[in-house]
Amino acid sequence: MIDLQSLQERIRAAAGDRRPLCIRAGGSKDFYGGPRAGELLDVSGLSGISDYEPTELVITARAGTRLTDIERVLAERDQMLAFEPPRFDGRATLGGAVAAGLSGPRRAYCGALRDFVLGVEMVDGRGELLRFGGKVIKNVAGFDVSRLMAGSLGTLGLIAQVTLKTVPRPRAECTLRFEADQPRALEAMTLWATRPLPLSATAWHDDLLHVRLSGAEAAVRAARESLGGEIVSGSEEYWQSVREQRLQFLMAADELWRICLPARCPKLPIEGRTLIEWGGSLRWLPGRQDGNSLRALASRRGGHAMLYRASVKPPEGSFAPLPAAMLALHQRLKAVFDPHRIFNRGRLHPDL
Amino acid sequence: MYHRVIERLRRALPAGAVLSSTEELKPYECDALTLFRQTPLAVALPADEAQVAAVLRLCHEASVPVIARGAGTGLSGGATPRPDAVLLSLARLNRIIGIDPLGRTARVQPGVRNLAISEAAAPHGLYYAPDPSSQIACTIGGNVAENSGGVHCLKYGLTVHNLLALRVITIDGEVLEVGSAAPDAPGYDLLALLTGSEGLLGVVTEVTVRLIPRPECARVVLAAFDELAKAGRAVADVIAAGITPAGLEMMDRPAIAAVEPFVQAGYPLDAEAILLCESDGTAQEVEEEILRIETVMRRAGATECRISRDEAERLRFWAGRKAAFPAMGAISPDYYCMDGSIPRRRLAAVLQAIRAMEGKYGLRCTNVFHAGDGNLHPLILFDSNVADEVARAEAFGGEILELCVREGGSITGEHGVGVEKINQMCVQFGSGELETFHAVKRAFDDRGLLNPGKAVPTLHRCAEFGRLHVHGGRLPHPELPRF
Ligand SMILES: Cc1cc2nc3c(=O)[nH]c(=O)nc-3n(C[C@H](O)[C@H](O)[C@H](O)COP(=O)(O)OP(=O)(O)OC[C@H]3O[C@@H](n4cnc5c(N)ncnc54)[C@H](O)[C@@H]3O)c2cc1C
């Protein structure tokens, strides 16, 4: 256990000397975003569930708590994290998950990580402890700083504690498999999403489309009968590997691109194997790509591409670039929370 | 100086788009929080985004404050005018730009009414889920600014959960594209930050919302209880049983008595409280869930459970809930609608505490609210013509909100802070958080021209209110002059 006060003191001292700090807990996302810079600020000791009220569907835990520990406790009460964040061999922590803002297969149908954040306690770049949001589902007092933390990659402050909304586990679940080429799979996913079906995940690769249904027994049964396809037993492991990007052909590549697109975007003119999730809105592309042309292509289709994992990090950053006015606003917001620019310099954007 | 601004507005906008005579300004002197009234300097009615930008640029240059207004149904005074500020009405930006049925999105201008989106999506079997009770009148721009909720938000989320992208104009006339139709837009989640920012950070000129498939069927359970506490516990029990109803609303005895003559919903008049619990989905799914809901209600001590047999009966059950506000107008000259939120398990205790406050303030209070997400709407009944009743109503409301904060909740679940709850912000937040809010505001609007004085109190105001939370015995930023 480490106490928050000693972390606050270190932050104050670093701010005084303008010394950059690198916030880290499980290290499961060292690969993600820009290069790590600065002195290590290890928050893995800041761990433990501080409050869990199953009847409220709300859990509060310190940032260094492992996601697997949280999920185990939730499972005992038949609850779960709806956004299915990757756990990366169990090393991922709550604070890191919120900072990275990554959501898993269920995201397209149940919401993203940020949709489940209710409150955050954080230490800003002056070493001050601040509390935003709270432990209730509905709360519109003040600006929504807690959701702003989701995906900020630690550039705005040290996330010390997070309160999340949990959900009941579905009473029934079933995975179906269809043979389909990419255009047909994209069309099927698009059409299904316009119908009131209990979809909870979709994944396509290698001419196979997997569809997971979750919900009330009767709803899952009815949907299964209406969709057809082949029932896949023991699909748990398959969805885990999708959730953690552990499908063999993704792991084997030295670069992995992640492309987000509007719903119903057709097949991209790119050769090679790909994993498609979120009804077509998320596409994983293993292997080297010409970054500029891929980013331009995604942008023409109304989306954006990022270099998710790479052996060598590009100097322009991993994420899609921000327009000038947007970047200026980001810099002003960064200065609000971290005036001396000590936290995770360059991790989200080279200029932040 | 003010004269010149009105002149310049007239030159920048089409004829008839600037109102400035006392008579023309009258309808704009308040929003639905009618306790606060002011006459604006002028009302600008731009018809497109370029005109909105022109108004903002012009006011920025002249250092004249601007207050955005949608339909003016806000209940916290977010759109309350100021005599030194231009009221910027978005009412004429009322076009549905496009519905994409396959992509399940709608792109609309900010002045489009909430219900109009669902009506336009209906032919495609889709709808926009957040449904504030004011949905026939309130605008989507106002919904974004308040992060509005509604009866069905328990299952389908608040405004923030149903938005994909915004176009926003900052006070200096710069256009920002925030979010995107694709998930996980790069950079900070400004979409979340702007949602619920009460018109302090920018003016929304376009909204892209997510549409969802309309469920096949919906039914509602009406459960009656002979004690408020039992109804409160039943709410917590439903959620604890792993059920996520489409809606879960509570009405107490005075509310039932007020609405029943109005709508003949068939509510049991002898009940201390009723719960309306809706289930939606496929026919089989609903049947399964309704049975589970009924079991939980009976176990929690419901004296009666009625299940809607058809669509007509379902709508009748809801009619009373929907008519609650107008019905209050019939039993009391004025009412004041509060909006605190609390953990659900504290419902029974808090409702009882509010009952006990009635004697203290000599005013009646009735409750009609979103019980499923712990969002209270105590309605304090008063008569503004009776000396000091307004003051007593405000004090009563203030005490309820402070109780919500003590119970681990919030001073506002969905109506926003506006001018109404600005003092209670000093109770919910410390000086560090309030300073941060001001700094965020400055990052968007360094001269503080957009909706000034709303939503976030100055530390000076909190000190006067006697509620400045000081961290570790130190006044924040001792180097700053106390304003
Ligand atoms: C009878 C009744 C029932 C209600 N029920 C509910 C309910 O169930 N749930 C709920 O959440 N609320 C409810 N409300 C409150 C109200 O309807 C909502 O807050 C609504 O979102 C306000 O929308 P409006 O268009 O009227 O906005 P206004 O009242 O005009 O403005 C509200 C705020 O938004 C800002 N604003 C407006 N448009 C823009 C824009 N384009 N860009 C930037 N800022 C803007 C204004 O400056 C102001 O701060 C109810 C109100 C009434 C009168």
Side-chain angles (χ1 to χ4, degrees):
Chain A
M1 268 302 272
I2 43 170
D3 65 311
L4 194 55
Q5 261 154 22
S6 64
L7 289 172
Q8 281 177 269
E9 270 154 35
R10 280 194 57 197
I11 291 169
R12 274 186 214 120
D17 314 340
R18 313 288 190 265
R19 226 175 333 113
L21 295 173
C22 171
I23 308 170
R24 186 176 190 264
S28 73
K29 283 176 277 288
D30 284 352
F31 72 89
Y32 189 64
R36 283 174 293 136
E39 196 181 293
L40 180 70
L41 190 66
D42 184 358
V43 294
S44 54
L46 206 61
S47 74
I49 293 169
S50 21
D51 190 14
Y52 174 38
E53 197 56 60
T55 61
E56 294 290 325
L57 301 176
V58 168
I59 190 163
T60 304
R62 282 181 280 273
T65 316
R66 291 184 170 225
L67 289 178
T68 44
D69 289 339
I70 292 176
E71 291 187 303
R72 184 163 27 76
V73 169
L74 295 181
E76 282 165 14
R77 304 303 296 260
D78 242 357
Q79 293 182 8
M80 63 179 194
L81 298 177
F83 50 94
E84 294 188 322
R87 280 93 28 117
F88 298 127
D89 300 323
R91 286 177 304 142
T93 62
L94 175 60
V98 172
L102 293 169
S103 315
R106 209 176 285 265
R107 191 251 199 250
Y109 308 97
C110 301
L113 174 136
R114 66 88 117 139
D115 293 320
F116 295 87
V117 172
L118 297 178
V120 161
E121 281 184 27
M122 59 173 288
V123 181
D124 72 6
R126 301 171 194 84
E128 188 157 1
L129 179 65
L130 302 170
R131 297 187 176 86
F132 298 101
K135 293 186 176 184
V136 283
I137 308 293
K138 285 175 84 175
N139 181 359
V140 295
F143 299 132
D144 194 347
V145 175
S146 18
R147 286 199 177 94
L148 183 66
M149 290 300 133
S152 65
L153 270 183
T155 56
L156 298 177
L158 181 150
I159 297 170
Q161 179 155 287
V162 180
T163 300
L164 292 175
K165 178 175 160 11
T166 65
V167 298
R169 274 152 82 95
R171 290 161 74 79
E173 204 148 81
C174 167
T175 295
L176 303 175
R177 185 165 53 202
F178 301 81
E179 269 179 42
D181 60 14
Q182 192 183 143
R184 276 181 49 222
L186 286 171
E187 193 188 308
M189 289 189 281
T190 300
L191 285 176
W192 290 338
T194 64
R195 291 169 50 193
L197 294 167
L199 300 173
S200 71
T202 43
W204 178 90
H205 55 94
D206 302 308
D207 286 336
L208 283 179
L209 173 59
H210 286 81
V211 182
R212 187 177 63 190
L213 304 166
S214 312
E217 202 85 56
V220 170
R221 195 181 331 112
R224 199 182 67 207
E225 282 160 13
S226 126
L227 293 182
E230 173 196 348
I231 297 178
V232 184
S233 57
S235 62
E236 185 87 345
E237 213 169 298
Y238 173 74
W239 292 114
Q240 300 286 359
S241 64
V242 171
R243 177 173 176 176
E244 317 274 341
Q245 299 89 47
R246 297 189 64 90
L247 293 176
Q248 194 49 45
F249 75 104
L250 299 185
M251 302 237 304
D254 61 346
E255 275 190 6
L256 181 58
W257 285 82
R258 181 179 189 269
I259 309 168
C260 292
L261 296 161
R264 83 183 181 80
C265 175
K267 182 176 188 298
L268 296 177
I270 301 173
E271 293 308 309
R273 290 168 85 183
T274 175
L275 163 66
I276 300 183
E277 288 188 74
W278 299 357
S281 289
L282 177 61
R283 304 187 193 180
W284 299 93
L285 214 60
R288 296 256 162 111
Q289 299 288 334
D290 172 6
N292 288 336
S293 59
L294 186 60
R295 287 202 173 99
L297 171 66
S299 156
R300 279 198 303 278
R301 300 294 169 86
H304 43 89
M306 72 156 302
L307 185 50
Y308 184 73
R309 182 161 54 68
S311 40
V312 184
K313 304 212 177 205
E316 75 274 14
S318 311
F319 298 92
L322 299 170
M326 223 15 168
L327 177 59
L329 178 59
H330 275 63
Q331 287 171 319
R332 293 198 297 276
L333 280 170
K334 164 87 172 164
V336 166
F337 291 91
D338 181 16
H340 308 304
R341 223 178 138 234
I342 56 172
F343 291 130
N344 287 9
R345 231 179 241 183
R347 194 80 193 268
L348 183 68
H349 189 285
D351 299 326
L352 289 175
Chain B
M1 172 198 126
Y2 288 142
H3 214 74
R4 288 235 310 276
V5 171
I6 298 177
E7 269 313 296
R8 292 184 59 193
L9 283 172
R10 279 197 212 287
R11 257 179 278 137
L13 298 180
V18 180
L19 314 178
S20 63
S21 75
T22 321
E23 209 171 294
E24 288 170 326
L25 297 179
K26 189 86 186 150
Y28 295 93
E29 66 180 15
C30 64
D31 60 11
L33 180 69
T34 52
L35 281 176
F36 296 87
R37 285 173 199 273
Q38 284 282 350
T39 306
L41 174 62
V43 175
L45 291 153
D48 59 31
E49 187 182 86
Q51 292 176 16
V52 173
V55 171
L56 290 170
R57 257 195 305 268
L58 198 155
C59 290
H60 186 237
E61 266 168 42
S63 281
V64 170
V66 181
I67 300 170
R69 177 183 165 110
T73 67
L75 287 168
S76 58
T80 306
R82 288 163 56 118
D84 64 348
V86 169
L87 196 70
L88 173 61
S89 165
L90 282 309
R92 289 187 182 171
L93 276 80
N94 61 357
R95 219 158 40 81
I96 293 181
I97 300 164
I99 302 256
D100 174 0
L102 277 181
R104 288 163 290 116
T105 61
R107 253 176 77 209
V108 303
Q109 290 189 320
V112 169
R113 290 172 305 111
N114 172 296
L115 188 61
I117 303 176
S118 289
E119 284 169 353
H124 309 289
L126 302 169
Y127 75 113
Y128 174 64
D131 55 345
S133 314
S134 51
Q135 70 179 153
I136 51 165
C138 65
T139 67
I140 189 71
N143 292 173
V144 171
E146 301 288 10
N147 190 14
S148 300
V151 166
H152 291 94
C153 288
L154 181 55
K155 183 163 175 182
Y156 298 106
L158 309 168
T159 303
V160 70
H161 301 114
N162 290 278
L163 296 177
L164 293 171
L166 299 175
R167 277 173 74 85
V168 175
I169 308 200
T170 50
I171 184 70
D172 48 7
E174 183 102 52
V175 179
L176 296 177
E177 291 194 37
V178 176
S180 73
D184 298 351
Y188 296 139
D189 196 338
L190 299 185
L191 188 60
L193 184 66
L194 282 157
T195 308
S197 63
E198 303 195 24
L200 266 72
L201 304 182
V203 174
V204 177
T205 52
E206 192 180 303
V207 186
T208 306
V209 300
R210 183 199 318 280
L211 303 173
I212 58 172
R214 176 143 321 266
E216 256 170 42
C217 116
R219 290 173 82 185
V220 60
V221 178
L222 187 166
F225 294 85
D226 56 7
E227 271 177 51
L228 210 50
K230 284 185 193 162
R233 272 196 299 274
V235 170
D237 289 352
V238 169
I239 306 297
I243 302 168
T244 309
L248 178 49
E249 301 281 305
M250 190 191 295
M251 293 173 73
D252 68 4
R253 188 185 185 106
I256 300 166
V259 303
E260 189 53 28
F262 234 74
V263 291
Q264 283 94 43
Y267 293 161
L269 289 167
D270 55 346
E272 275 306 314
I274 59 168
L275 292 177
L276 292 168
C277 188
E278 182 156 286
S279 167
D280 69 10
T282 63
Q284 307 96 310
E285 194 178 2
V286 169
E287 196 165 329
E288 194 178 301
E289 193 167 78
I290 284 284
L291 277 179
R292 292 175 65 211
I293 292 169
E294 192 187 353
T295 311
V296 175
M297 295 290 185
R298 291 216 184 272
R299 229 178 261 150
T303 51
E304 188 188 349
C305 273
R306 285 188 228 158
I307 298 166
S308 63
R309 279 159 302 190
D310 50 33
E311 192 57 11
E313 191 169 44
R314 183 182 79 91
L315 294 177
R316 193 147 46 78
F317 282 173
W318 279 116
R321 167 65 181 90
K322 296 215 159 134
F325 286 64
M328 290 309 148
I331 61 162
S332 172
D334 300 284
Y335 65 86
Y336 184 27
C337 175
M338 306 310 296
D339 174 45
S341 71
I342 52 166
R344 283 172 285 239
R345 67 180 183 285
R346 302 298 300 156
L347 272 176
V350 169
L351 290 173
Q352 258 145 5
I354 294 174
R355 271 279 153 84
M357 289 177 207
E358 287 181 322
K360 174 169 170 192
Y361 294 98
L363 294 173
R364 282 185 303 151
C365 179
T366 152
N367 291 282
V368 184
F369 65 100
H370 313 306
D373 35 36
N375 190 180
L376 301 170
H377 284 329
L379 297 170
I380 300 169
L381 310 181
F382 68 100
D383 182 349
S384 52
N385 292 319
V386 176
D388 90 330
E389 281 212 356
V390 173
R392 271 189 279 144
E394 281 190 274
F396 191 167
E399 186 171 345
I400 294 176
L401 297 185
E402 289 176 30
L403 173 65
C404 291
V405 175
R406 272 205 309 283
E407 293 288 353
S410 171
I411 58 171
T412 171
E414 60 180 19
H415 293 166
V417 174
V419 287
E420 182 204 18
K421 307 178 194 78
I422 196 136
N423 287 339
Q424 281 75 32
M425 281 292 281
C426 316
V427 179
Q428 186 161 335
F429 293 100
S431 55
E433 290 82 8
L434 294 174
E435 291 267 32
T436 305
F437 292 149
H438 283 297
V440 168
K441 161 84 170 152
R442 281 194 299 273
F444 283 83
D445 170 20
D446 59 345
R447 274 144 66 191
L449 291 174
L450 272 178
N451 217 0
K454 310 271 177 70
V456 187
T458 59
L459 297 185
H460 174 70
R461 187 183 180 116
C462 290
E464 272 189 349
F465 184 62
R467 292 299 168 72
L468 183 64
H469 287 203
V470 176
H471 278 300
R474 289 175 302 135
L475 261 177
H477 302 278
E479 73 282 8
L480 292 180
R482 298 288 118 192
F483 34 140

